[in-house]
Short mmCIF file of all heavy atoms in Angstrom, two decimals:
data_model
loop_
_atom_site.label_atom_id
_atom_site.label_comp_id
_atom_site.label_asym_id
_atom_site.label_seq_id
_atom_site.Cartn_x
_atom_site.Cartn_y
_atom_site.Cartn_z
N GLU A 1 -0.49 -9.70 -7.24
CA GLU A 1 0.19 -8.95 -6.19
C GLU A 1 1.04 -7.82 -6.75
O GLU A 1 1.48 -6.91 -6.07
CB GLU A 1 0.89 -9.73 -5.20
CG GLU A 1 2.09 -10.46 -5.81
CD GLU A 1 1.77 -11.82 -6.21
OE1 GLU A 1 0.56 -12.17 -6.43
OE2 GLU A 1 2.78 -12.68 -6.54
N ASP A 2 1.40 -7.93 -8.01
CA ASP A 2 2.24 -6.92 -8.71
C ASP A 2 1.41 -5.85 -9.45
O ASP A 2 1.96 -5.03 -10.14
CB ASP A 2 3.37 -7.61 -9.51
CG ASP A 2 4.38 -8.29 -8.70
OD1 ASP A 2 4.68 -7.92 -7.54
OD2 ASP A 2 4.83 -9.23 -9.24
N ASP A 3 0.11 -6.01 -9.35
CA ASP A 3 -0.79 -4.99 -10.06
C ASP A 3 -1.19 -3.89 -9.09
O ASP A 3 -1.14 -4.08 -7.85
CB ASP A 3 -2.00 -5.71 -10.66
CG ASP A 3 -1.69 -6.72 -11.68
OD1 ASP A 3 -0.55 -6.60 -12.30
OD2 ASP A 3 -2.57 -7.56 -11.99
N LEU A 4 -1.50 -2.81 -9.65
CA LEU A 4 -2.09 -1.68 -8.80
C LEU A 4 -3.57 -2.15 -8.45
O LEU A 4 -4.23 -2.50 -9.33
CB LEU A 4 -2.17 -0.40 -9.51
CG LEU A 4 -0.90 0.34 -9.71
CD1 LEU A 4 -0.97 1.53 -10.62
CD2 LEU A 4 -0.36 0.84 -8.35
N PRO A 5 -3.97 -2.05 -7.18
CA PRO A 5 -5.34 -2.24 -6.75
C PRO A 5 -6.27 -1.30 -7.41
O PRO A 5 -5.81 -0.21 -7.79
CB PRO A 5 -5.25 -2.15 -5.32
CG PRO A 5 -3.92 -2.14 -4.91
CD PRO A 5 -3.09 -1.63 -6.04
N PRO A 6 -7.47 -1.63 -7.68
CA PRO A 6 -8.41 -0.65 -8.18
C PRO A 6 -8.63 0.56 -7.37
O PRO A 6 -8.53 0.48 -6.12
CB PRO A 6 -9.73 -1.54 -8.30
CG PRO A 6 -9.69 -2.64 -7.19
CD PRO A 6 -8.11 -2.93 -7.22
N ARG A 7 -8.67 1.70 -7.97
CA ARG A 7 -8.96 2.86 -7.21
C ARG A 7 -10.44 2.99 -6.88
O ARG A 7 -11.27 3.23 -7.78
CB ARG A 7 -8.57 4.09 -8.07
CG ARG A 7 -7.13 4.01 -8.55
CD ARG A 7 -6.11 3.90 -7.38
NE ARG A 7 -5.81 5.32 -6.80
CZ ARG A 7 -4.93 5.35 -5.72
NH1 ARG A 7 -4.19 4.33 -5.35
NH2 ARG A 7 -4.76 6.60 -5.14
N LEU A 8 -10.81 2.72 -5.64
CA LEU A 8 -12.19 2.63 -5.17
C LEU A 8 -12.64 3.85 -4.38
O LEU A 8 -11.78 4.38 -3.67
CB LEU A 8 -12.42 1.30 -4.46
CG LEU A 8 -12.10 0.08 -5.19
CD1 LEU A 8 -12.04 -1.07 -4.20
CD2 LEU A 8 -13.15 -0.24 -6.28
N ASP A 9 -13.80 4.22 -4.44
CA ASP A 9 -14.20 5.38 -3.58
C ASP A 9 -14.22 4.83 -2.09
O ASP A 9 -14.34 3.75 -1.84
CB ASP A 9 -15.75 5.71 -3.85
CG ASP A 9 -15.94 6.37 -5.36
OD1 ASP A 9 -14.80 6.98 -5.70
OD2 ASP A 9 -16.95 6.26 -5.87
N ALA A 10 -13.96 5.94 -1.24
CA ALA A 10 -13.92 5.56 0.25
C ALA A 10 -14.37 6.75 1.03
O ALA A 10 -14.25 7.92 0.65
CB ALA A 10 -12.52 5.29 0.66
N GLU A 11 -15.16 6.44 1.97
CA GLU A 11 -15.62 7.48 2.92
C GLU A 11 -14.93 7.11 4.23
O GLU A 11 -15.08 6.01 4.65
CB GLU A 11 -17.19 7.52 3.08
CG GLU A 11 -17.87 7.99 1.84
CD GLU A 11 -17.68 9.40 1.56
OE1 GLU A 11 -17.37 10.30 2.54
OE2 GLU A 11 -17.79 9.93 0.42
N PHE A 12 -14.28 8.01 4.91
CA PHE A 12 -13.56 7.76 6.12
C PHE A 12 -14.27 8.18 7.37
O PHE A 12 -15.07 9.07 7.32
CB PHE A 12 -12.21 8.50 6.10
CG PHE A 12 -11.40 8.06 4.94
CD1 PHE A 12 -11.37 8.78 3.77
CD2 PHE A 12 -10.61 6.85 5.02
CE1 PHE A 12 -10.68 8.30 2.65
CE2 PHE A 12 -9.86 6.49 3.97
CZ PHE A 12 -9.92 7.17 2.79
N ASP A 13 -14.14 7.36 8.48
CA ASP A 13 -14.92 7.58 9.71
C ASP A 13 -14.65 8.96 10.16
O ASP A 13 -15.57 9.67 10.70
CB ASP A 13 -14.39 6.58 10.68
CG ASP A 13 -14.89 5.16 10.45
OD1 ASP A 13 -15.96 5.07 9.66
OD2 ASP A 13 -14.37 4.24 10.92
N SER A 14 -13.36 9.51 10.00
CA SER A 14 -12.98 10.89 10.31
C SER A 14 -13.50 11.76 9.22
O SER A 14 -12.99 11.56 8.06
CB SER A 14 -11.64 11.02 10.69
OG SER A 14 -11.24 12.42 10.71
N LYS A 15 -14.26 12.70 9.37
CA LYS A 15 -14.54 13.72 8.40
C LYS A 15 -13.50 14.73 8.18
O LYS A 15 -13.63 15.74 7.38
CB LYS A 15 -15.88 14.39 8.74
CG LYS A 15 -16.99 13.44 8.63
CD LYS A 15 -17.23 12.76 7.21
CE LYS A 15 -18.35 11.85 7.19
NZ LYS A 15 -18.51 11.15 5.89
N LYS A 16 -12.53 14.61 8.90
CA LYS A 16 -11.40 15.61 8.84
C LYS A 16 -10.13 15.05 8.07
O LYS A 16 -9.39 15.78 7.35
CB LYS A 16 -10.88 15.95 10.22
CG LYS A 16 -11.96 16.74 10.98
CD LYS A 16 -11.77 16.76 12.42
CE LYS A 16 -11.94 15.40 13.03
NZ LYS A 16 -13.36 14.83 13.01
N THR A 17 -9.82 13.70 8.09
CA THR A 17 -8.79 13.07 7.49
C THR A 17 -9.15 12.01 6.42
O THR A 17 -9.81 11.18 6.72
CB THR A 17 -7.85 12.38 8.51
OG1 THR A 17 -7.42 13.45 9.52
CG2 THR A 17 -6.58 11.89 7.92
N ALA A 18 -8.60 12.20 5.31
CA ALA A 18 -8.70 11.33 4.18
C ALA A 18 -7.40 10.73 3.74
O ALA A 18 -6.40 11.49 3.77
CB ALA A 18 -9.36 11.89 2.89
N SER A 19 -7.22 9.57 3.49
CA SER A 19 -5.87 8.90 3.06
C SER A 19 -5.91 8.43 1.66
O SER A 19 -6.90 8.04 1.23
CB SER A 19 -5.59 7.74 3.99
OG SER A 19 -6.46 6.72 3.92
N ILE A 20 -4.74 8.55 1.00
CA ILE A 20 -4.62 8.26 -0.39
C ILE A 20 -3.32 7.45 -0.63
O ILE A 20 -2.30 7.93 -0.43
CB ILE A 20 -4.54 9.48 -1.32
CG1 ILE A 20 -5.92 10.26 -1.17
CG2 ILE A 20 -4.37 9.12 -2.76
CD1 ILE A 20 -5.75 11.61 -1.88
N PRO A 21 -3.48 6.18 -0.93
CA PRO A 21 -2.25 5.37 -1.29
C PRO A 21 -1.58 5.98 -2.62
O PRO A 21 -2.26 6.13 -3.57
CB PRO A 21 -2.67 4.03 -1.56
CG PRO A 21 -4.04 3.91 -1.03
CD PRO A 21 -4.60 5.29 -1.09
N ILE A 22 -0.34 6.28 -2.47
CA ILE A 22 0.40 6.77 -3.71
C ILE A 22 1.41 5.75 -4.27
O ILE A 22 1.86 5.75 -5.30
CB ILE A 22 1.14 8.10 -3.44
CG1 ILE A 22 2.28 7.87 -2.42
CG2 ILE A 22 0.14 9.16 -2.92
CD1 ILE A 22 3.21 9.09 -2.32
N THR A 23 1.84 4.90 -3.44
CA THR A 23 2.56 3.73 -3.82
C THR A 23 2.12 2.37 -3.14
O THR A 23 1.50 2.49 -2.12
CB THR A 23 4.09 3.81 -3.56
OG1 THR A 23 4.39 3.78 -2.13
CG2 THR A 23 4.70 5.09 -4.10
N TYR A 24 2.45 1.30 -3.83
CA TYR A 24 2.16 -0.09 -3.23
C TYR A 24 3.48 -0.78 -3.25
O TYR A 24 4.14 -0.73 -4.23
CB TYR A 24 1.04 -0.78 -3.95
CG TYR A 24 -0.33 -0.07 -3.93
CD1 TYR A 24 -0.72 0.87 -4.90
CD2 TYR A 24 -1.19 -0.38 -2.89
CE1 TYR A 24 -1.98 1.48 -4.79
CE2 TYR A 24 -2.46 0.26 -2.79
CZ TYR A 24 -2.82 1.13 -3.72
OH TYR A 24 -3.98 1.77 -3.75
N GLY A 25 3.64 -1.81 -2.30
CA GLY A 25 4.79 -2.58 -2.35
C GLY A 25 6.14 -1.96 -1.94
O GLY A 25 6.14 -0.76 -1.57
N CYS A 26 7.16 -2.67 -1.94
CA CYS A 26 8.51 -2.25 -1.45
C CYS A 26 9.55 -3.01 -2.08
O CYS A 26 9.48 -4.21 -2.25
CB CYS A 26 8.47 -2.42 0.14
SG CYS A 26 10.02 -1.70 0.88
N ASN A 27 10.63 -2.38 -2.40
CA ASN A 27 11.76 -2.85 -3.01
C ASN A 27 13.01 -3.04 -2.05
O ASN A 27 14.13 -3.41 -2.46
CB ASN A 27 12.21 -2.04 -4.25
CG ASN A 27 11.34 -2.23 -5.40
OD1 ASN A 27 10.38 -3.04 -5.38
ND2 ASN A 27 11.51 -1.31 -6.41
N ASN A 28 12.86 -2.61 -0.78
CA ASN A 28 13.94 -2.42 0.07
C ASN A 28 14.56 -3.68 0.71
O ASN A 28 15.65 -3.84 1.03
CB ASN A 28 13.70 -1.40 1.12
CG ASN A 28 13.52 0.00 0.56
OD1 ASN A 28 14.35 0.45 -0.32
ND2 ASN A 28 12.50 0.66 0.95
N PHE A 29 13.55 -4.65 1.03
CA PHE A 29 13.98 -5.97 1.63
C PHE A 29 14.84 -5.75 2.84
O PHE A 29 15.86 -6.39 2.94
CB PHE A 29 14.68 -6.85 0.60
CG PHE A 29 13.84 -7.31 -0.43
CD1 PHE A 29 13.68 -6.63 -1.59
CD2 PHE A 29 13.10 -8.55 -0.30
CE1 PHE A 29 12.76 -7.14 -2.66
CE2 PHE A 29 12.19 -8.97 -1.27
CZ PHE A 29 12.06 -8.34 -2.43
N CYS A 30 14.45 -4.87 3.82
CA CYS A 30 14.95 -4.83 5.15
C CYS A 30 14.83 -6.29 5.72
O CYS A 30 13.82 -7.00 5.60
CB CYS A 30 14.29 -3.83 6.02
SG CYS A 30 14.23 -2.15 5.39
N THR A 31 15.86 -6.72 6.28
CA THR A 31 16.03 -8.08 6.67
C THR A 31 14.95 -8.52 7.74
O THR A 31 14.81 -9.87 7.90
CB THR A 31 17.42 -8.52 7.17
OG1 THR A 31 17.80 -7.59 8.27
CG2 THR A 31 18.50 -8.33 6.02
N TYR A 32 14.38 -7.67 8.41
CA TYR A 32 13.42 -7.96 9.48
C TYR A 32 11.97 -7.96 9.01
O TYR A 32 11.02 -8.34 9.67
CB TYR A 32 13.44 -7.05 10.68
CG TYR A 32 13.48 -5.62 10.26
CD1 TYR A 32 12.23 -5.03 10.06
CD2 TYR A 32 14.66 -4.83 10.12
CE1 TYR A 32 12.15 -3.69 9.58
CE2 TYR A 32 14.66 -3.57 9.76
CZ TYR A 32 13.42 -2.87 9.48
OH TYR A 32 13.32 -1.59 9.08
N CYS A 33 11.79 -7.57 7.75
CA CYS A 33 10.44 -7.14 7.25
C CYS A 33 9.89 -8.08 6.21
O CYS A 33 10.46 -8.44 5.20
CB CYS A 33 10.49 -5.70 6.67
SG CYS A 33 8.84 -5.06 6.23
N ILE A 34 8.58 -8.44 6.38
CA ILE A 34 7.87 -9.40 5.50
C ILE A 34 7.08 -8.71 4.37
O ILE A 34 6.73 -9.18 3.39
CB ILE A 34 6.94 -10.18 6.31
CG1 ILE A 34 6.35 -11.48 5.50
CG2 ILE A 34 5.64 -9.32 6.79
CD1 ILE A 34 7.39 -12.55 5.41
N VAL A 35 6.94 -7.30 4.52
CA VAL A 35 6.04 -6.49 3.64
C VAL A 35 6.40 -6.77 2.04
O VAL A 35 5.51 -6.97 1.36
CB VAL A 35 6.18 -5.01 3.83
CG1 VAL A 35 5.63 -4.18 2.73
CG2 VAL A 35 5.37 -4.73 5.23
N PRO A 36 7.81 -6.82 1.63
CA PRO A 36 7.93 -6.93 0.25
C PRO A 36 7.39 -8.34 -0.26
O PRO A 36 7.09 -8.46 -1.48
CB PRO A 36 9.49 -6.89 0.10
CG PRO A 36 9.95 -6.15 1.29
CD PRO A 36 9.05 -6.54 2.38
N TYR A 37 7.32 -9.34 0.62
CA TYR A 37 6.86 -10.61 0.18
C TYR A 37 5.32 -10.73 0.13
O TYR A 37 4.87 -11.60 -0.54
CB TYR A 37 7.37 -11.67 1.20
CG TYR A 37 8.91 -11.72 1.37
CD1 TYR A 37 9.53 -10.98 2.40
CD2 TYR A 37 9.70 -12.23 0.41
CE1 TYR A 37 10.95 -10.99 2.54
CE2 TYR A 37 11.11 -12.24 0.55
CZ TYR A 37 11.68 -11.60 1.55
OH TYR A 37 13.07 -11.62 1.76
N VAL A 38 4.65 -9.88 0.79
CA VAL A 38 3.21 -9.88 0.79
C VAL A 38 2.56 -8.85 -0.02
O VAL A 38 1.39 -8.82 -0.41
CB VAL A 38 2.63 -9.95 2.17
CG1 VAL A 38 3.06 -11.25 2.90
CG2 VAL A 38 3.03 -8.65 3.12
N ARG A 39 3.25 -7.60 -0.18
CA ARG A 39 2.67 -6.49 -0.93
C ARG A 39 3.42 -6.29 -2.30
O ARG A 39 3.02 -5.37 -3.05
CB ARG A 39 2.82 -5.30 -0.21
CG ARG A 39 1.72 -5.26 1.00
CD ARG A 39 1.34 -3.83 1.51
NE ARG A 39 0.37 -3.83 2.49
CZ ARG A 39 -0.84 -3.47 2.19
NH1 ARG A 39 -1.36 -3.27 0.92
NH2 ARG A 39 -1.81 -3.51 3.12
N GLY A 40 4.43 -7.17 -2.58
CA GLY A 40 4.87 -7.14 -3.96
C GLY A 40 5.93 -6.01 -4.11
O GLY A 40 6.35 -5.37 -3.20
N ARG A 41 6.44 -5.84 -5.38
CA ARG A 41 7.42 -4.70 -5.65
C ARG A 41 6.69 -3.28 -5.72
O ARG A 41 5.51 -3.21 -5.81
CB ARG A 41 8.11 -5.07 -7.00
CG ARG A 41 8.76 -6.30 -7.18
CD ARG A 41 10.00 -6.55 -6.23
NE ARG A 41 9.59 -6.75 -4.80
CZ ARG A 41 9.17 -7.89 -4.38
NH1 ARG A 41 9.04 -8.94 -5.18
NH2 ARG A 41 8.81 -8.12 -3.07
N GLU A 42 7.59 -2.21 -5.67
CA GLU A 42 7.04 -1.03 -5.65
C GLU A 42 6.30 -0.64 -6.97
O GLU A 42 6.76 -0.82 -8.04
CB GLU A 42 8.07 0.14 -5.47
CG GLU A 42 8.61 0.07 -4.10
CD GLU A 42 9.75 1.14 -3.87
OE1 GLU A 42 10.15 1.88 -4.88
OE2 GLU A 42 10.28 1.26 -2.85
#
């Protein structure tokens, strides 16, 4: 979970919008949020 996922090709349903992850994970630990525990550190 602390590794970068592989950069894989993607074709999006919308031919107008493509998305690109630039970061994974989170270091903020907002007290209501589970994300840092499941997506790892930034």
Side-chain angles (χ1 to χ4, degrees):
E1 65 269 15
D2 291 327
D3 294 340
L4 283 173
R7 306 301 282 185
L8 301 168
D9 291 335
E11 295 290 336
F12 299 93
D13 292 336
S14 168
K15 292 301 180 184
K16 296 160 290 292
T17 303
S19 60
I20 301 175
I22 66 168
T23 68
Y24 296 91
C26 184
N27 291 350
N28 291 315
F29 289 91
C30 300
T31 56
Y32 53 80
C33 185
I34 195 70
V35 167
Y37 303 98
V38 295
R39 286 198 175 264
R41 304 292 76 77
E42 285 179 1

